[in-house]
Amino acid sequence: MQCYISPNLMTTETHLHFEDEDISSKCWFCGSCRMRYSSTRAGVQGRSFRDVLFSGYAADGGMFMPETLPSLSAETLCSWSRLSYQQLLCEICSLYISELEIPRHDLEQLIKQALSSFSIPEAVRLVQLKDSLSILELFHGETLAFKDLAMSCTAQFLQYFLRKDGIRATILVGTSGDTGGSAIRSVLGVSEVDIVVVFPRGRVTRVQERQMTTSIADNIHVFAADGTSDDIDVPLRKLFADPDLVRRHGLMSLNSVNWSRILVQLAHFLFAYLHLSAPRAGGDELEVLEVLVPTGGAGNITAGCIMKLMGIPLRLVAVVNSNDTVHRALQTGDFSMCGSVKQTLAPAIDIQDPYNMERVFWLLSGRDGAMVKRLMEEFQRTHKLTLPASLHQKLCEVLSSGSVSDDGILEAMRRCWQDNHYLICPHTAVGVWQHYHTAIRPGENRCCIATASPAKFQEAVQKAGLTLDLPEALQALDRLETRYDVLERSDDWESKLRQRIESIGSMRRHGPASETRD
């Protein structure tokens, strides 16, 4: 059996470690083979990448995380500094996906295919604005949102295994706006996959809604729910907790619950760091990069935390809108929902259950699954939680935070345009507002993650007194036929979604006549 050693890691010294264990005596292939995944609630352990890819929540209600985190040295970062985004993404993915599961050549081709539909060659772009602010544009995919990057790669990984094994999967996705359209586009017309997407009716923009409801294909099933994105998460968790349903239908998630989504998002932070705070060969100390991260479900900020723990010197700032659970957790230790979800100009982060924070708590607690299980079950039961003092202290050592009102969002959009003639979406404006109201530390660079194109949020752009020409592809959405079903507040959402999943399975076994539409 041939062992693979990444050429970017072949140096005279070992620059990659798994935690505190030196693997210089092992080939990279063997190091990769040992990467396994466990639930944050300690009930499921030793799973492969393929296992967690085909999962939603773990059977114990937790979320999958790698059992070890590779540590990247300054020498390795220096050797990677000239790599393209696509190459960096491949290096990062190869740390967490065994060569036994996806050989290196196949991994490179899957990532290349995933990024082939992006509108710019590099797939992502850094833009330098005034006042020492850089913007990392992550919205050049088909649905004009950062979700396209991780979703397109995850869909390629998924199809690789489905076709290799000759099996099918049913994807179940809840969305606060951008995830739904991106997930649909990533598997539209794929014969091995059906996807069920649930979005909160009246709480997404018209463009976001029509990117979902105009995607008409036999494998696309869209529901508009009369509630919030947090309301939608409740029945989805129950469905994923049914092992028989999951097994019979190959039920899986493409939300950032899926580890593969977080994995791809690690590359965002690495790319920004290497371009804005490039390490120097033989340098004594790495420069620090501050990253402003618009935060909803906390998938991006989780990826940032992982990269920080892998050795990238990041100063991470989680910035939220009026749904400020993460901000209050950092300020006071109060990780509690605050009434119902508030509808804001940044709808994709209108979330009061930032579910990926469970992963951060697990990492910072020293992987104490029993404690995380106790805390998160209390939070899910009561919607209230006071973080233990030690966990709160560690959280504050890794993150800081800010919270922005709708007025602040509009202010940031206007000022960014006035200062730079650069138009930002309301979610990006959440981060840019933080920039305008906090000083950059001496010797540091600052970057804000741009999560979506402003073209998707025309109402917010108009409220800011600004204008834009809507791209033809978005204008065309209004001329297309729509198809979706409605989940009324009085309906049993879990039951209706279960019925649809069962009918999909029946249809695939016996033909279209067996499917019923609600």
Side-chain angles (χ1 to χ4, degrees):
M1 182 165 47
Q2 183 89 29
C3 292
Y4 176 82
I5 302 178
S6 172
N8 291 304
L9 298 176
M10 292 178 64
T11 57
T12 56
E13 300 177 59
T14 295
H15 302 311
L16 184 72
H17 302 265
F18 276 85
E19 311 246 309
D20 295 327
E21 182 180 356
D22 190 338
I23 63 167
S24 57
S25 62
K26 302 181 178 73
C27 69
W28 172 237
F29 177 66
C30 295
S32 182
C33 282
R34 57 180 295 190
M35 181 58 73
R36 291 291 181 266
Y37 297 84
S38 295
S39 168
T40 51
R41 301 189 188 182
V44 184
Q45 295 160 350
R47 298 301 173 89
S48 67
F49 174 76
R50 185 193 182 286
D51 292 333
V52 300
L53 176 67
F54 281 86
S55 300
Y57 292 95
D60 62 357
M63 305 171 78
F64 285 109
M65 284 287 284
E67 294 178 354
T68 55
L69 295 183
S71 178
L72 301 175
S73 70
E75 289 85 356
T76 296
L77 294 176
C78 187
S79 74
W80 286 358
S81 61
R82 295 186 181 276
L83 298 184
S84 67
Y85 173 80
Q86 181 176 313
Q87 290 170 323
L88 284 173
L89 179 53
C90 191
E91 293 297 339
I92 285 293
C93 288
S94 71
L95 299 181
Y96 291 95
I97 304 173
S98 166
E99 173 108 352
L100 280 177
E101 296 190 273
I102 305 181
R104 175 66 178 231
H105 176 265
D106 291 347
L107 180 64
E108 291 173 350
Q109 292 304 307
L110 292 173
I111 291 173
K112 180 180 180 180
Q113 179 61 33
L115 302 181
S116 63
S117 63
F118 282 68
S119 61
I120 60 175
E122 188 77 283
V124 303
R125 178 166 60 198
L126 275 164
V127 177
Q128 185 65 52
L129 302 185
K130 290 182 179 179
D131 302 322
S132 302
L133 176 66
S134 296
I135 300 288
L136 179 59
E137 294 181 347
L138 302 177
F139 52 74
H140 294 288
E142 287 190 70
T143 72
L144 306 181
F146 83 96
K147 311 289 178 72
D148 293 333
L149 287 160
M151 204 73 73
S152 60
C153 292
T154 298
Q156 286 295 316
F157 301 155
L158 175 64
Q159 291 176 64
Y160 177 85
F161 287 114
L162 291 174
R163 290 168 181 171
K164 179 181 176 182
D165 299 342
I167 58 175
R168 294 188 52 78
T170 301
I171 298 168
L172 179 60
V173 171
T175 181
S176 57
D178 286 329
T179 295
S182 183
I184 287 170
R185 292 305 305 177
S186 72
V187 298
L188 185 69
V190 174
S191 60
E192 299 89 352
V193 174
D194 278 274
I195 184 168
V196 179
V197 171
V198 190
F199 71 89
R201 182 168 59 168
R203 291 177 175 267
V204 299
T205 70
R206 183 171 179 80
V207 168
Q208 288 174 317
E209 178 175 329
R210 294 188 75 84
Q211 282 181 331
M212 291 181 274
T213 60
T214 60
S215 297
I216 298 176
D218 288 344
N219 69 326
I220 308 299
H221 312 265
V222 178
F223 287 84
D226 187 14
T228 69
S229 59
D230 286 347
D231 294 334
I232 291 167
D233 283 342
V234 175
L236 267 58
R237 277 184 179 268
K238 292 179 179 177
L239 292 167
F240 281 118
D242 182 341
D244 180 62
L245 186 75
V246 170
R247 178 187 57 78
R248 287 189 295 108
H249 296 284
L251 195 64
M252 60 170 291
S253 173
L254 277 186
N255 286 93
S256 56
V257 169
N258 194 307
W259 161 252
S260 178
R261 289 271 309 275
I262 304 297
L263 170 58
V264 175
Q265 287 169 197
L266 301 181
H268 307 345
F269 295 88
L270 181 60
F271 179 85
Y273 181 80
L274 292 178
H275 281 74
L276 296 174
S277 301
R280 297 181 300 275
D284 293 333
E285 190 172 342
L286 293 171
E287 295 180 7
V288 175
L289 174 66
E290 184 181 43
V291 187
L292 309 176
V293 186
T295 299
N300 255 340
I301 203 69
T302 298
C305 287
I306 293 170
M307 288 306 301
K308 184 179 177 76
L309 294 175
M310 288 175 64
I312 310 298
L314 301 173
R315 194 179 309 284
L316 298 167
V317 186
V319 195
V320 299
N321 58 22
S322 298
N323 298 285
D324 61 352
T325 306
V326 172
H327 180 57
R328 284 184 288 106
L330 279 151
Q331 298 304 305
T332 68
D334 176 28
F335 188 76
S336 302
M337 294 188 192
C338 187
S340 60
V341 172
K342 299 178 179 69
Q343 197 164 358
T344 77
L345 292 174
I349 57 174
D350 285 351
I351 296 172
Q352 292 215 21
D353 178 4
Y355 49 88
N356 276 294
M357 288 302 293
E358 177 169 340
R359 288 178 155 129
V360 177
F361 296 158
W362 181 78
L363 285 169
L364 299 183
S365 67
R367 300 175 176 82
D368 188 340
M371 186 190 77
V372 170
K373 176 180 172 65
R374 185 176 68 255
L375 294 178
M376 299 316 298
E377 287 182 349
E378 177 185 341
F379 175 72
Q380 288 166 5
R381 185 175 64 256
T382 67
H383 295 169
K384 297 183 182 299
L385 180 66
T386 299
L387 297 180
S390 59
L391 180 58
H392 180 231
Q393 179 181 346
K394 289 176 182 175
L395 186 65
C396 292
E397 291 170 359
V398 172
L399 296 176
S400 59
S401 66
S403 178
V404 186
S405 67
D406 274 0
D407 287 343
I409 288 172
L410 296 175
E411 172 199 324
M413 293 175 72
R414 292 188 198 103
R415 182 171 171 183
C416 190
W417 176 256
Q418 291 164 2
D419 290 353
N420 304 281
H421 276 205
Y422 184 79
L423 192 60
I424 55 177
C425 86
H427 305 81
T428 308
V430 168
V432 171
W433 183 93
Q434 185 77 7
H435 166 71
Y436 287 140
H437 290 81
T438 57
I440 300 176
R441 301 191 187 198
E444 293 187 8
N445 294 311
R446 176 179 279 173
C447 176
C448 178
I449 289 182
T451 58
S453 166
K456 298 187 73 171
F457 303 96
Q458 196 168 22
E459 181 181 347
V461 171
Q462 291 171 347
K463 281 190 175 183
L466 305 171
T467 60
L468 62 78
D469 294 326
L470 204 62
E472 172 57 31
L474 298 187
Q475 293 183 42
L477 292 174
D478 282 333
R479 301 191 291 271
L480 298 177
E481 177 189 356
T482 64
R483 186 176 75 184
Y484 63 96
D485 295 291
V486 175
L487 294 175
E488 302 288 355
R489 184 165 288 278
S490 59
D491 291 338
D492 182 337
W493 295 2
E494 180 188 352
S495 176
K496 293 193 75 170
L497 292 172
R498 184 182 294 273
Q499 289 172 15
R500 176 56 58 84
I501 292 166
E502 296 285 7
S503 74
I504 290 169
S506 177
M507 178 187 69
R508 296 309 177 194
R509 286 191 301 271
H510 305 298
S514 298
E515 183 184 27
T516 60
R517 304 292 281 186
D518 294 316

